[in-house]
C-alpha cells in the first residue's frame, strides 16, 4: 500500500513525540496499559435498534464488547455501574462520508491529504494517511458520533473539492485511539469512483469567470473518461488471471491493478459519487455491465431515479439536508423532502456530512428530514444501523446486541435533537472523554471576567 508524503511526515512526528514520552519517563494513561474495564449501565431506556426499546434496561460492557443487554441482564461482580435513570442508551452514530483525519485546515494545503495526483489511484487507502490526533475527531465524537468513513478524493468543503476518477479506498474508523490500528474497524470498505459528467461550463479561478465548452467537446471528454475506466477494469481482470502463473521474471507486480481485483470480483463495492439523474443512470448502467456492486453517494437528484435504485438494490448516502438545491428551479426544500420520498420508494438511505467541519451536526441533518416526512425510525437508522449494513459492518456495530462492539452513547434524550446532551460516550468499550478544543474555548470565554 502507498503512504503519502504528508502521512510519512505525520508518522515521523508521532514517532518523535513517542520517543520523547518514553525518554522522559512519562507514563501513558491506564487505558493504554490495562485491559478494558467492565461497565454496567443500569435503569436506562435502551434503544437496541434490533427490537423494541427496553424501558428499564441494563447494558453490560466487557472487553470492548456488549456482553449482555436486557431488562434483567446480570451485572458482573466488580463492574463499574452507571445509573442511567432518566437517560437513554443508543448505538453510537455513524457518519458515512467524511475526510476525518485526512484534512485539518482546508485553507492550509500542507494539512490536507485527501487525494493523490492523477485521475486513477485505486491503490490509495485512506487509513494510511489518517492522523489520529486530528482536532476534528474529539469535536465530532462529542456529538455522539463513534465511527466514520474516511473517504479519499470525495470532494467536500474541507478538501477544496479535489478528486480523481478512481480516488482510492475508503476506511471505516472509530473516533478514538492512539494509532490508526487502534481506530480501525475495516481498512477497506469501498472503492471511490467519481463518476465523470458532461460539463459544458466551469469556473475559472484565474479570471473569476464562467468558462463555456461546446457540448460535443464536453461529451467527447466524458466518453474518454468512461473508456479509460473500462480499460482499467479490463486490465485488472487480465492481471487477476495472470497472478500466480509463470515465473517471477514473467510477472511484474502492479499495485493499482491489484487493488482493483476485489472490485471486479464484486467483493469490494464502488462508492459512486454522482448527483444528476443522468449521471446516476449512466453509473448504474456501467456498474451493471461491469458487474460491480454499487453504492450511490451524493444523489442530489436520486428522487428522479428512485425506481431504478430500488430495482437494483442500490443504497444511497445522501448529502446534508440543509444545503441549497443544486438547480435554481428546484423548490427550496428539495433536499429536505428527498429522504422521505426515497424511503417510501424502498431505497435504503444513510446520511453523511461529506466533510469534517459540520460532521458534528449529523444527527440534526437527519432530524430535518423527519420534519419533512421521513419516519423517525428510518432517520435514526440512517445514522446508525443502515451505514453499518451498507458497508458490511453490521456484525460489529449499528445495534446494541450481545457480541457487538461497545460503541455506545448515553444521552438525556433523542440523539437527533440539538438540545440533547451526551452524558457518557463509549468507544470500543472504553469510557471516552468528550473534551475538545471547541468546548475548551467555550469555557474559557464564558468565564472571561466582566469588563475585560
Amino acid at each position: 500500500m502507498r503512504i503519502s508524503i504528508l502521512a510519512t511526515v505525520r508518522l515521523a512526528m508521532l514517532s518523535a513525540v513517542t520517543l520523547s514520552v518514553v525518554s522522559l519517563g512519562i507514563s501513558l494513561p491506564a487505558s493504554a496499559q490495562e485491559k478494558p474495564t467492565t461497565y454496567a449501565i443500569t435503569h436506562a431506556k435502551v434503544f437496541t435498534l434490533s427490537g423494541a426499546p427496553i424501558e428499564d434496561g441494563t447494558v453490560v460492557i466487557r472487553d470492548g464488547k456488549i456482553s449482555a443487554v436486557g431488562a434483567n441482564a446480570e451485572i458482573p461482580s466488580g463492574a463499574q455501574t452507571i445509573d442511567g435513570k432518566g437517560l437513554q442508551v443508543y448505538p453510537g452514530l455513524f457518519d458515512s462520508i467524511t475526510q476525518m483525519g485526512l484534512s485539518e485546515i482546508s485553507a492550509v494545503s500542507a494539512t490536507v491529504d485527501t487525494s493523490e495526483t492523477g485521475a486513477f489511484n485505486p491503490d490509495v487507502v485512506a487509513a494510511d494517511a489518517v492522523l489520529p490526533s486530528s482536532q476534528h475527531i474529539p469535536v465530532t465524537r462529542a456529538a455522539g458520533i463513534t465511527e466514520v468513513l474516511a473517504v479519499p478524493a470525495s470532494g467536500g468543503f474541507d478538501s477544496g473539492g479535489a478528486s480523481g476518477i478512481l480516488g482510492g479506498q475508503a476506511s471505516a474508523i472509530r473516533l478514538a485511539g492512539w494509532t490508526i490500528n487502534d481506530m480501525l474497524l475495516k481498512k477497506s470498505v469501498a472503492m471511490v469512483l467519481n463518476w465523470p459528467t458532461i460539463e459544458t461550463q466551469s469556473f475559472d479561478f484565474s479570471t473569476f469567470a464562467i468558462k463555456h465548452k461546446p457540448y460535443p467537446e464536453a461529451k467527447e471528454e466524458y466518453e474518454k473518461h468512461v473508456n479509460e475506466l473500462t480499460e482499467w477494469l479490463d486490465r485488472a481482470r487480465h492481471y487477476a488471471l495472470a497472478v500466480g502463473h509463470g515465473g517471477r521474471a514473467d510477472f511484474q507486480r502492479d499495485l493499482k491493478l491489484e487493488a482493483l481485483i476485489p472490485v471486479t470480483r464484486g467483493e469490494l463495492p464502488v462508492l459512486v459519487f454522482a448527483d444528476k439523474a443522468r449521471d446516476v443512470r449512466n453509473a448504474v448502467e456501467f456498474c451493471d455491465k461491469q458487474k460491480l456492486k454499487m453504492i450511490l453517494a451524493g444523489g442530489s437528484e436520486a428522487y428522479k431515479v428512485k425506481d431504478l435504485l430500488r430495482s437494483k438494490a442500490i443504497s444511497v448516502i445522501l448529502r446534508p439536508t440543509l444545503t441549497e438545491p443544486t438547480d435554481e428551479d428546484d423548490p427550496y426544500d428539495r433536499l429536505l423532502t428527498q429522504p422521505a420520498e426515497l424511503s417510501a420508494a424502498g431505497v435504503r438511505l444513510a446520511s453523511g456530512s461529506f466533510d469534517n467541519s459540520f460532521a458534528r451536526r449529523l444527527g440534526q441533518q437527519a432530524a430535518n428530514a423527519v420534519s419533512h416526512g421521513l419516519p423517525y425510525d428510518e432517520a435514526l437508522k440512517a445514522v446508525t444501523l443502515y451505514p453499518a449494513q451498507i458497508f458490511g459492518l453490521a456484525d460489529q456495530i449499528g445495534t446494541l446486541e450481545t457480541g457487538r462492539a461497545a460503541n455506545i452513547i448515553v444521552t438525556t434524550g433523542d440523539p437527533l435533537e440539538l438540545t440533547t446532551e451526551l452524558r457518557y460516550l463509549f468507544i470500543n468499550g472504553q469510557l471516552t472523554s468528550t473534551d475538545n478544543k471547541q468546548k475548551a474555548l467555550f469555557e474559557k470565554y464564558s468565564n472571561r471576567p466582566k469588563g475585560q
Side-chain angles (χ1 to χ4, degrees), residues 251-307:
F251 177 77
Q252 183 175 356
R253 190 177 183 189
D254 189 316
L255 294 180
K256 291 190 176 185
L257 296 180
E258 198 169 298
L260 281 172
I261 291 176
V263 176
T264 61
R265 291 174 175 170
E267 299 166 358
L268 185 68
V270 284
L271 184 60
V272 179
F273 284 75
D275 282 300
K276 294 293 185 180
R278 177 181 62 191
D279 293 331
V280 175
R281 290 191 194 97
N282 290 339
V284 171
E285 181 181 357
F286 178 87
C287 290
D288 256 2
K289 184 177 180 180
Q290 295 290 335
K291 295 181 172 54
L292 308 181
K293 183 180 178 181
M294 176 178 166
I295 301 167
L296 177 62
S300 298
E301 292 186 352
Y303 66 95
K304 293 182 178 180
V305 290
K306 58 189 178 186
D307 293 333

Side-chain angles (χ1 to χ4, degrees), residues 290-333:
Q290 295 290 335
K291 295 181 172 54
L292 308 181
K293 183 180 178 181
M294 176 178 166
I295 301 167
L296 177 62
S300 298
E301 292 186 352
Y303 66 95
K304 293 182 178 180
V305 290
K306 58 189 178 186
D307 293 333
L308 173 64
L309 295 171
R310 183 195 63 244
S311 67
K312 300 295 182 181
I314 295 173
S315 300
V316 182
I317 315 297
L318 289 175
R319 296 185 184 276
T321 49
L322 285 180
T323 304
E324 63 181 10
T326 55
D327 193 305
E328 62 182 8
D329 293 327
D330 284 341
Y332 77 93
D333 61 351

Side-chain angles (χ1 to χ4, degrees), residues 371-423:
S371 64
H372 286 75
L374 181 67
Y376 172 80
D377 287 347
E378 291 297 296
L380 182 59
K381 289 176 181 178
V383 292
T384 51
L385 176 59
Y386 290 160
Q389 292 177 340
I390 290 168
F391 295 109
L393 300 167
D395 61 336
Q396 300 182 58
I397 57 173
T399 58
L400 300 182
E401 296 180 82
T402 301
R404 298 292 192 271
N407 292 354
I408 297 171
I409 56 175
V410 183
T411 69
T412 59
D414 181 359
L416 305 189
E417 287 289 346
L418 187 61
T419 55
T420 295
E421 296 179 20
L422 178 63
R423 290 293 175 84

Side-chain angles (χ1 to χ4, degrees), residues 119-137:
F120 296 91
N121 296 289
D123 55 325
V124 169
V125 182
D128 291 336
V130 167
L131 178 65
S133 59
S134 169
Q135 291 300 308
H136 289 288
I137 291 175

Side-chain angles (χ1 to χ4, degrees), residues 150-390:
V151 185
S154 54
F157 178 80
D158 289 312
S159 62
S163 63
I165 295 177
L166 280 176
Q169 301 166 47
S171 302
I173 59 174
R174 308 179 190 93
L175 292 188
W178 288 95
T179 68
I180 185 58
N181 288 335
D182 295 334
M183 301 169 68
L184 209 55
L185 273 168
K186 191 174 182 181
K187 191 168 186 177
S188 180
V189 297
M191 180 69 70
V192 174
L193 169 55
N194 288 289
W195 186 254
T197 187
I198 301 175
E199 291 285 357
T200 57
Q201 62 180 30
S202 60
F203 188 78
D204 187 349
F205 283 94
S206 63
T207 61
F208 282 86
I210 299 293
K211 291 177 62 177
H212 295 276
K213 183 184 297 183
Y215 179 82
E217 183 180 333
K219 190 170 188 297
E220 182 180 353
E221 185 175 338
Y222 163 79
E223 290 173 346
K224 175 187 174 184
H225 289 318
V226 175
N227 289 335
E228 287 176 335
L229 181 57
T230 302
E231 289 174 7
W232 273 98
L233 294 170
D234 287 343
R235 287 170 56 200
R237 291 187 177 95
H238 294 150
Y239 180 87
L241 293 174
V243 172
H245 298 279
R248 183 170 295 182
D250 300 323
F251 177 77
Q252 183 175 356
R253 190 177 183 189
D254 189 316
L255 294 180
K256 291 190 176 185
L257 296 180
E258 198 169 298
L260 281 172
I261 291 176
V263 176
T264 61
R265 291 174 175 170
E267 299 166 358
L268 185 68
V270 284
L271 184 60
V272 179
F273 284 75
D275 282 300
K276 294 293 185 180
R278 177 181 62 191
D279 293 331
V280 175
R281 290 191 194 97
N282 290 339
V284 171
E285 181 181 357
F286 178 87
C287 290
D288 256 2
K289 184 177 180 180
Q290 295 290 335
K291 295 181 172 54
L292 308 181
K293 183 180 178 181
M294 176 178 166
I295 301 167
L296 177 62
S300 298
E301 292 186 352
Y303 66 95
K304 293 182 178 180
V305 290
K306 58 189 178 186
D307 293 333
L308 173 64
L309 295 171
R310 183 195 63 244
S311 67
K312 300 295 182 181
I314 295 173
S315 300
V316 182
I317 315 297
L318 289 175
R319 296 185 184 276
T321 49
L322 285 180
T323 304
E324 63 181 10
T326 55
D327 193 305
E328 62 182 8
D329 293 327
D330 284 341
Y332 77 93
D333 61 351
R334 178 66 270 177
L335 296 181
L336 288 161
T337 59
Q338 178 174 231
E341 195 170 344
L342 290 173
S343 179
V347 178
R348 184 170 54 180
L349 307 174
S351 295
S353 64
F354 284 69
D355 66 16
N356 297 334
S357 300
F358 301 103
R360 66 188 187 278
R361 291 289 169 252
L362 178 70
Q364 287 78 57
Q365 297 286 0
N368 290 326
V370 175
S371 64
H372 286 75
L374 181 67
Y376 172 80
D377 287 347
E378 291 297 296
L380 182 59
K381 289 176 181 178
V383 292
T384 51
L385 176 59
Y386 290 160
Q389 292 177 340
I390 290 168

